[in-house]
Amino acid sequence: MTYTLDQVQYGSPFLDPGSTACSGSLAMLHLRRDQSLPTKLSDRDDDNEGYDEGRVTNTRFGSFPHSTLIGLPWGSQVRASKVDTGSRGRRGLQGRDGVAKRKRAEDTPPAGPSGESPSTETPPPPKSPIVASTGFVHLLPPTPESWTMSLPHRTQVVYTPDYSYVLHRLRARPGSIVIEAGAGSGSFTHAAARAVYKDSQVSEAVAGGHAIEASTKVGKVYSYEFHEQRVDKLQTEISEHRLDDVVQITHRDVCRDGFLLKTPNGSRSPEADAIFLDVPAPWLALPHLTRLPWMKDLTDQESVIDPLQNTLEESAAILATDPQLESDPPCGPVMNGTAAFISPLNAKRAVRICTFSPCIEQVQRTIATLRQYGWVDIEMVEIAHKRLEVRREHASLEDRSQRGIQAMAGTVEESVKRLKEVEGSFKKFHAERGPEAPFSHENGPHRENYKEPSTRPNRGGKSKETILKSIIEHKLYKTGTLIHRPEPELKTHTSYLVFALLPRTWTSEHEEEARQKWLTSSKFQKAGLSNHNQSRRQLKRTARAAYEQRHAEAAATTPIR
């Protein structure tokens, strides 16, 4: 995989958005909670919408030319601009019912002999936008969470409470290999790509050119989808978001064709560390997720062989007694007249799986199939998400009319200034109060702490200047009571999550190798002991008993003088 110079400089906006918004990158216009508008920033009007300000995005809170967004730091509050969104405010779009547009298309001269249209007049440069009196949005970098709330829904979406818990239980980390079956709208795909992404993705530059080679030791998400149109749309989104190096989309029915990757020389294993199945019948895909070739052809009526209790030699002996298991050849390329089995799982570590099923009947059949193929630690989880709302309540007549009033800090500097005000008032209060002491009259033992009662009206500890300044500014985020309360409605069932673990296959060769690697200590070897099937505490007890026995025998054989 190679990168262009622009991709290296900016990278994927989901993985490394940088500090400022740049042209050609995806940005989120945050309108309100749980409502964001994804926008691809552009410094020129490629769609020829006709605005004098260039490319413009219209929202319910006003119009925002992209020239006011590009180059701003992420998190900035952007005021709306005065843009004429009607046909009169656009270049060359005057007229009713598109008559002028059709007429302009009819008057366009035909293309030249080379197929190119003759040169036309260069459009004027975009004019500087004028700031509107009301309306603003916040410019945020895209994240899997914000993309989940704003993506075009093509199928049922895996929301943030579900996929965050799933990735945690699957132990997805930078450098992991994750298989996703049922990509759908791409919500889980973006979250998994961020979880497995490694910063060392770009390793070295090729001398004399702009191409940069990518390191092969990076995380990867292999996503499978059987619907061809959804695959095309998702592949377009992945390319626009510059996630091609982390995500690979494949059009395939995994329940029938498995998870192997096609190569010019045949097939290869993705060596997956974690699997997420969001398919209608996950039990049909489980036969392809095994390390033993004969387990791929098991059926519901056949006996179950536990790979934890049986080694490969014992399993082969059991397999020889059941010729039905060998009726169908295993999958894989043909080598020397026999098919070589290729497992899509990582052979060097335990593999974790999660299935996403909306019905309990699907869960029951999935669990039965997981047990059949040797998966252990099976557990079903249902996520019930309830969010806490933190806000300020205003119970004053001064805040009845909130239209046009800024209800929150507009910039980071304004928030820091407010924090300094709170900290300063706290220190000033304790400095003026002095040490704690019980009240006494002026001739009492604490007369140095006695103060004459003030005749000024009580204004809650605020001076007249402070009150006037607060009235003039009238910042709502400084007033009211800060409260937090749970949402009135509980977001309940989306789907049942079934988790399971497939340990690595352990053979007699592995056992002997482990025994050779983890030898007993010298004191145990001198005592003629072995640490096989014994804990460290048992070994210490045995060594202590042997030591005491030797001393007792030596004392018994020593003559008394």
Side-chain angles (χ1 to χ4, degrees), residues 136 398-408 473-476:
F136 67 90
E398 298 177 356
D399 304 324
R400 288 182 299 176
S401 177
Q402 298 185 9
R403 183 175 179 84
I405 298 178
Q406 190 176 7
M408 61 190 69
E473 291 184 355
H474 200 70
K475 304 289 187 181
L476 286 183

Side-chain angles (χ1 to χ4, degrees), residues 211-276:
I212 292 183
E213 296 294 332
S215 174
T216 57
K217 193 177 180 181
V218 296
K220 195 76 174 180
V221 177
Y222 295 101
S223 185
Y224 299 86
E225 174 62 45
F226 78 98
H227 195 277
E228 187 175 2
Q229 294 181 353
R230 288 200 290 264
V231 170
D232 296 338
K233 293 180 180 179
L234 182 58
Q235 184 61 56
T236 302
E237 292 176 354
I238 293 298
S239 300
E240 292 178 351
H241 300 165
R242 301 172 190 168
L243 294 172
D244 303 83
D245 190 66
V246 186
V247 180
Q248 179 176 332
I249 310 294
T250 304
H251 176 221
R252 183 185 302 174
D253 183 4
V254 296
C255 297
R256 182 188 62 186
D257 301 327
F259 300 89
L260 298 182
L261 304 175
K262 300 299 182 181
T263 61
N265 299 327
S267 301
R268 71 175 183 90
S269 172
E271 299 181 356
D273 304 317
I275 301 105
F276 178 69

Side-chain angles (χ1 to χ4, degrees), residues 19-38:
S19 59
T20 59
C22 58
S23 178
S25 179
L26 183 69
M28 289 290 177
L29 301 185
H30 182 72
L31 307 179
R32 52 186 300 179
R33 192 178 71 173
D34 296 337
Q35 186 177 4
S36 299
L37 181 63

Side-chain angles (χ1 to χ4, degrees), residues 198-362:
K198 296 186 70 173
D199 293 338
S200 59
Q201 185 172 354
V202 179
S203 59
E204 59 181 1
V206 178
H210 297 298
I212 292 183
E213 296 294 332
S215 174
T216 57
K217 193 177 180 181
V218 296
K220 195 76 174 180
V221 177
Y222 295 101
S223 185
Y224 299 86
E225 174 62 45
F226 78 98
H227 195 277
E228 187 175 2
Q229 294 181 353
R230 288 200 290 264
V231 170
D232 296 338
K233 293 180 180 179
L234 182 58
Q235 184 61 56
T236 302
E237 292 176 354
I238 293 298
S239 300
E240 292 178 351
H241 300 165
R242 301 172 190 168
L243 294 172
D244 303 83
D245 190 66
V246 186
V247 180
Q248 179 176 332
I249 310 294
T250 304
H251 176 221
R252 183 185 302 174
D253 183 4
V254 296
C255 297
R256 182 188 62 186
D257 301 327
F259 300 89
L260 298 182
L261 304 175
K262 300 299 182 181
T263 61
N265 299 327
S267 301
R268 71 175 183 90
S269 172
E271 299 181 356
D273 304 317
I275 301 105
F276 178 69
L277 300 180
D278 185 8
V279 293
W283 58 88
L284 297 179
L286 292 177
H288 303 279
L289 299 173
T290 179
R291 295 192 182 96
L292 303 178
W294 50 266
M295 293 191 69
K296 178 181 181 298
D297 304 312
L298 287 177
T299 59
D300 294 339
Q301 291 77 22
E302 293 163 355
S303 59
V304 178
I305 303 176
D306 189 356
L308 295 178
Q309 303 296 332
N310 306 103
T311 62
L312 286 179
E313 294 81 359
E314 296 171 346
S315 301
I318 299 174
L319 182 63
T321 62
D322 193 353
Q324 184 180 0
L325 298 180
E326 297 180 338
S327 58
D328 296 327
C331 66
V334 177
M335 299 177 61
N336 298 328
T338 60
F341 174 76
I342 302 178
S343 173
L345 307 180
N346 192 335
K348 298 181 179 180
R349 63 180 62 182
V351 178
R352 290 168 172 80
I353 191 174
C354 174
T355 63
F356 191 84
S357 303
C359 301
I360 195 64
E361 292 79 9
Q362 295 172 306

Side-chain angles (χ1 to χ4, degrees), residues 21 52 58 64 68 80 90 123 138 171 209 224 231 273 292 295 348 388 401 407 416 432 490 536-537 541 549:
D52 292 337
N58 299 311
F64 299 88
T68 62
R90 307 192 191 184
H138 286 88
R171 298 190 180 181
Y224 299 86
V231 170
D273 304 317
L292 303 178
M295 293 191 69
K348 298 181 179 180
L388 291 177
S401 177
V416 174
E432 293 178 353
L490 178 65
R536 190 174 183 87
R537 180 176 295 180
R541 289 178 181 176
Q549 183 178 0

